[in-house]
């Protein structure tokens, strides 16, 4: 199957695109976009891959579902479009960056600047029906994104994986921790952030690891 995705990823993932489950997923997603309001816009489903080339990956952050309200989701986990109110979890991420590195929280929740530096902002599910959280789960996206994580683990070296919450940690079980650095904590959601997300220093620790391995640090 021919999928419109960054050329740096296309060859890496073609084996997945040719599998029956992915063809069934595409059929489902096309029908959903044709008949309902679905997020993100179809052109941004693979935005995380288009903004972060395979050979440029330094950090992987794993989310779960795209945001399901109007104009929020644009294909990068935790990120929202410019001009959109910053969601609570992202506000807590910015708060921890401020605590950890002294960087003032930005006024925009658009994380494209991270993606452009080599941060793969990967949701487990890449589409969702408007106002219906989790509506596209168990349709095939999870199998695809697990294959993506395994491909990065198998073929890249010295990548930092940030696994926030039990869902991301379960998703990250395929990561080879002898080749990569994995940092785990509770989710930055207001429900759990105070139980170990705040004070985890993962952003400074990520940069320290990258620097030790001869890579440019992320400007968080």
């Amino acid at each position: 199957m021919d999928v419109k995705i960054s050329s740096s990823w296309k060859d890496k993932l073609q084996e997945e695109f040719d599998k029956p489950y992915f063809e069934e997923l595409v059929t489902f997603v096309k029908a959903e976009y044709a008949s309902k309001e679905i997020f993100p816009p179809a052109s941004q489903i693979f935005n995380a891959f288009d903004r972060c080339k395979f050979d440029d990956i330094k950090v992987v952050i794993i989310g779960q579902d795209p945001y399901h309200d109007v104009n929020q989701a644009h294909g990068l986990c935790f990120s929202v479009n410019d001009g959109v109110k910053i969601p609570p979890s992202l506000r807590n991420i910015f708060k921890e960056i401020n605590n950890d590195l002294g960087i003032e929280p930005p006024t925009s929740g658009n994380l494209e600047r991270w993606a452009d530096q080599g941060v793969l902002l990967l949701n487990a599910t890449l589409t969702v029906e408007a106002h219906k959280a989790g509506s596209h789960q168990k349709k095939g996206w999870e199998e695809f994104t697990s294959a993506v994580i395994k491909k990065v683990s198998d073929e890249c070296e010295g990548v930092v994986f940030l696994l926030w919450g039990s869902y991301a940690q379960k998703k990250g079980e395929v990561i080879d921790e002898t080749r990569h650095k994995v940092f785990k904590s509770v989710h930055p959601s207001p429900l759990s952030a105070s139980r170990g997300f705040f004070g985890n220093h993962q952003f400074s620790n990520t940069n320290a690891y990258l620097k030790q391995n001869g890579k440019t640090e992320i400007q968080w």
Side-chain angles (χ1 to χ4, degrees):
M1 172 167 285
D2 186 40
V3 175
K4 292 180 180 175
I5 193 170
S6 163
S7 58
S8 73
W9 285 93
K10 197 169 180 65
D11 290 343
K12 302 290 184 185
L13 299 175
Q14 190 59 52
E15 184 180 349
E16 292 303 308
F17 298 149
D18 290 337
K19 289 181 178 178
Y21 88 85
F22 195 86
E23 297 200 17
E24 292 172 11
L25 171 62
V26 169
T27 299
F28 165 76
V29 169
K30 282 183 175 178
E32 290 285 286
Y33 274 93
S35 60
K36 302 172 184 174
E37 187 175 21
I38 305 297
F39 300 130
S43 63
Q44 295 182 325
I45 292 173
F46 294 110
N47 197 23
F49 304 88
D50 295 335
R51 302 292 305 212
C52 180
K53 305 293 187 288
F54 186 85
D55 292 335
D56 295 339
I57 298 171
K58 299 175 186 174
V59 180
V60 177
I61 299 176
I62 299 174
Q64 189 164 357
D65 247 24
Y67 295 118
H68 53 82
D69 284 335
V70 176
N71 202 37
Q72 287 184 306
H74 63 139
L76 308 176
C77 72
F78 292 104
S79 179
V80 291
N81 284 299
D82 291 320
V84 175
K85 183 180 178 182
I86 297 174
S89 291
L90 182 56
R91 197 159 56 242
N92 284 339
I93 291 169
F94 289 156
K95 184 176 179 181
E96 173 57 18
I97 291 171
N98 179 237
N99 293 338
D100 189 12
L101 295 168
I103 298 171
E104 286 300 312
T107 56
S108 172
N110 189 329
L111 302 181
E112 287 177 344
R113 60 193 176 82
W114 291 6
D116 292 343
Q117 295 177 74
V119 181
L120 181 64
L121 295 161
L122 182 67
N123 271 320
T125 305
L126 300 189
T127 55
V128 68
E129 184 179 346
H131 317 304
K132 292 187 178 180
S135 50
H136 285 189
Q137 291 178 3
K138 298 183 173 62
K139 302 295 184 181
W141 280 130
E142 293 94 339
E143 184 172 349
F144 171 70
T145 51
S146 288
V148 169
I149 294 165
K150 189 166 192 319
K151 179 68 71 171
V152 173
S153 175
D154 290 350
E155 297 193 16
C156 298
E157 289 287 347
V159 172
V160 179
F161 289 84
L162 301 180
L163 307 181
W164 300 333
S166 57
Y167 184 90
Q169 288 163 26
K170 181 75 174 173
K171 191 92 173 157
E173 288 177 354
V174 298
I175 299 163
D176 182 352
E177 296 194 36
T178 67
R179 295 164 62 100
H180 306 286
K181 187 67 177 178
V182 176
F183 291 117
K184 301 175 183 179
S185 81
V186 297
H187 195 276
S189 158
L191 298 173
S192 56
S194 61
R195 300 201 307 269
F197 184 80
F198 294 137
N200 66 24
H201 300 290
Q202 288 188 3
F203 300 98
S204 59
N205 289 335
T206 292
N207 278 351
Y209 178 84
L210 293 174
K211 190 173 182 179
Q212 287 165 11
N213 285 273
K215 299 182 181 182
T216 309
E217 297 168 276
I218 304 298
Q219 299 300 311
W220 299 106

